[in-house]
Amino acid sequence: MENTFKIPRVIHIGGKNGIRKIDIGGSNPVTVQTMWKEPIIALDTKAVDSIAVRISALKSLGCDIVRFAVPDMESAHSLCAIASSTDVPLVADIHFDYRLALECLKGNVSVIRINPGNIGSIDRTRAVVEACMEKDVAIRIGVNSGSLPKDLQEKVLNSEITRSEALSEAALREAEVFDSLGFTNFAVSMKASSVQETIDANEAFARRSDIPLHIGVTEAGPLITGVVKSTMAFSHLLKEGIGSTIRVSLSSSPENEVIAGREILHECGLRKGGVTLVSCPRCGRQGFDVHSFMDRWQNRLLSLDRNITVAVMGCIVNGPGEGKNADVGIAGGGGKCIIFKKGKIVQTIDEKDADIEFEKILENL
Ligand code: SF4
């Protein structure tokens, strides 16, 4: 089979009313997305502010775009309020009711995620597309393997085509609706919960279309399972140049989704810089609880806007040696901790003061 994949065309999101502009596709950096995990109904000003603070923390961890489910009008109003309180582009995820999309478009939302197949008549899709054109807002079409058109389902049942070919065909049909309306500022996602199906569907689509792809393994599972599945699918696709934006879908926090996404991009050589964490697994020689230190410090360290390597090691005997390439590291034993830089011990502190002293070290790096 031909393995020539089209270079994705460039679409843009954000860029107005104080929202960060992001170009997606072409040679632009692959972006990381996550999805908000709680309902956003009945939000007061304090709740909106606290969501904006958490979005800002997600941004520091490497998140580019945050998506919110909008199942009702109240959520649409809340999303508009949140979108006015952050510079991170937000996506309104809409199913079935096109009026929710139109309501979100009255605010500062940067992307509408819809599936024309479940919005209803072409007039409803047209109304959303025209409003998006007017407000210069992008769209993401989402196609799931669980909601394929009937004729494609039958072809799969009759073994005429594979499920991934059906997914790709369904996505192309949805894209044609947008093309016929003269709208091009959209991306496509095809979601399957199997790694191979995700790979095959995205490859099949990228052979036929230059529309940028949002890639993700849907319902990928809890933290470890989901990260393994997503890493396998994404590393395969990204190395082929497929995937302009990614979401690691996890039964875990948005923070973990973002960290997993950025680390995958980093290891694929698609995101440079930032903090690299080195930590030992801990063993019977340990004199310092690396696991709990990392639990406390991981997000803080990964949020630093620095290009450094930080090592957290369980024992004084091996720690500095094993972490000798780290710009800064900590190891412990016998109630004491040592701070080292490039393998050289620069400070010895009481273990009980480890957090306070480590914070001071970071501030003065
Ligand atoms: Fe074990 Fe020390 Fe190596 Fe950690 S650094 S794994 S505690 S020997």
Side-chain angles (χ1 to χ4, degrees):
M1 187 173 293
E2 192 196 352
N3 249 352
T4 309
F5 305 113
K6 299 198 187 294
I7 295 168
R9 70 190 184 209
V10 179
I11 66 164
H12 63 273
I13 67 172
K16 53 189 174 31
N17 301 325
I19 305 286
R20 188 181 156 217
K21 180 173 187 282
I22 300 180
D23 290 324
I24 289 174
S27 57
N28 291 296
V30 177
T31 51
V32 171
Q33 310 204 10
T34 187
M35 190 158 184
W36 198 253
K37 312 253 171 170
E38 278 90 35
I40 49 168
I41 43 174
L43 300 182
D44 56 17
T45 311
K46 205 170 146 205
V48 169
D49 289 347
S50 98
I51 290 174
V53 167
R54 193 159 165 209
I55 292 173
S56 174
L58 288 166
K59 180 182 167 189
S60 301
L61 284 169
C63 181
D64 300 297
I65 300 159
V66 182
R67 178 161 52 118
F68 287 77
V70 181
D72 49 42
M73 276 299 170
E74 213 178 326
S75 303
H77 297 147
S78 294
L79 183 56
C80 290
I82 298 164
S84 296
S85 311
T86 177
D87 65 347
V88 173
L90 304 185
V91 183
D93 190 293
I94 315 278
H95 285 285
F96 308 117
D97 189 348
Y98 78 111
R99 290 167 302 182
L100 297 173
L102 297 180
E103 195 62 29
C104 290
L105 285 164
K106 291 179 185 166
N108 222 3
V109 166
S110 298
V111 183
I112 300 289
R113 185 257 168 147
I114 56 167
N115 180 344
N118 74 28
I119 285 289
S121 71
I122 183 72
D123 287 344
R124 293 176 177 180
T125 301
R126 183 182 291 118
V128 175
V129 165
E130 282 175 357
C132 283
M133 279 173 164
E134 197 189 320
K135 299 242 357 191
D136 194 21
V137 164
I139 291 180
R140 168 161 77 92
I141 302 170
V143 181
N144 290 321
S145 59
S147 56
L148 290 171
K150 273 210 168 71
D151 65 315
L152 294 176
Q153 280 181 35
E154 277 169 22
K155 282 187 173 177
V156 172
L157 280 175
N158 296 334
S159 303
E160 290 170 47
I161 54 173
T162 62
R163 183 168 288 279
S164 26
E165 285 166 342
L167 257 179
S168 160
E169 178 60 30
L172 283 161
R173 285 184 192 176
E174 302 279 20
E176 274 164 21
V177 175
F178 284 71
D179 287 340
S180 72
L181 296 171
F183 185 72
T184 55
N185 198 34
F186 65 96
V188 157
S189 67
M190 288 159 294
K191 300 272 195 73
S193 56
S194 129
V195 170
Q196 197 57 52
E197 226 169 68
T198 304
I199 291 172
D200 292 345
N202 282 284
E203 284 184 344
F205 189 91
R207 278 189 196 97
R208 294 171 66 187
S209 173
D210 68 350
I211 297 166
L213 284 165
H214 164 125
I215 58 174
V217 180
T218 198
E219 293 143 16
L223 184 61
I224 296 173
T225 314
V227 168
V228 169
K229 285 186 188 176
S230 301
T231 304
M232 290 187 70
F234 294 2
S235 58
H236 182 105
L237 290 167
L238 291 168
K239 280 177 189 159
E240 295 177 320
I242 300 173
S244 300
T245 179
I246 65 172
R247 181 202 173 190
V248 179
S249 169
L250 300 173
S251 305
S252 183
S253 65
E255 286 77 8
N256 281 342
E257 291 192 358
V258 170
I259 292 169
R262 71 174 251 178
E263 293 301 309
I264 292 170
L265 291 185
H266 203 265
E267 294 306 320
C268 287
L270 293 170
R271 190 171 277 207
K272 305 270 184 256
V275 172
T276 300
L277 294 184
V278 174
S279 67
C280 85
R282 218 175 68 184
C283 74
R285 284 185 203 88
Q286 62 117 351
F288 177 60
D289 189 355
V290 172
H291 297 190
S292 68
F293 189 85
M294 263 308 183
D295 284 347
R296 292 197 302 279
W297 280 87
Q298 174 188 260
N299 289 14
R300 164 86 174 96
L301 290 170
L302 291 177
S303 297
L304 293 174
D305 188 15
R306 302 290 299 267
N307 297 331
I308 53 170
T309 297
V310 179
V312 181
M313 312 303 274
C315 67
I316 288 178
V317 180
N318 287 343
E322 290 178 22
K324 66 177 177 301
N325 293 322
D327 295 285
V328 63
I330 183 166
K336 297 279 180 195
C337 280
I338 53 166
I339 308 282
F340 52 92
K341 292 183 176 174
K342 299 281 183 193
K344 277 199 167 160
I345 298 170
V346 294
Q347 200 177 339
T348 303
I349 54 176
D350 283 340
E351 187 178 343
K352 64 177 172 39
D353 300 327
D355 284 347
I356 295 168
E357 295 299 327
F358 199 64
E359 182 63 48
K360 283 186 202 159
I361 294 279
L362 291 181
E363 280 165 14
N364 295 316
L365 264 185

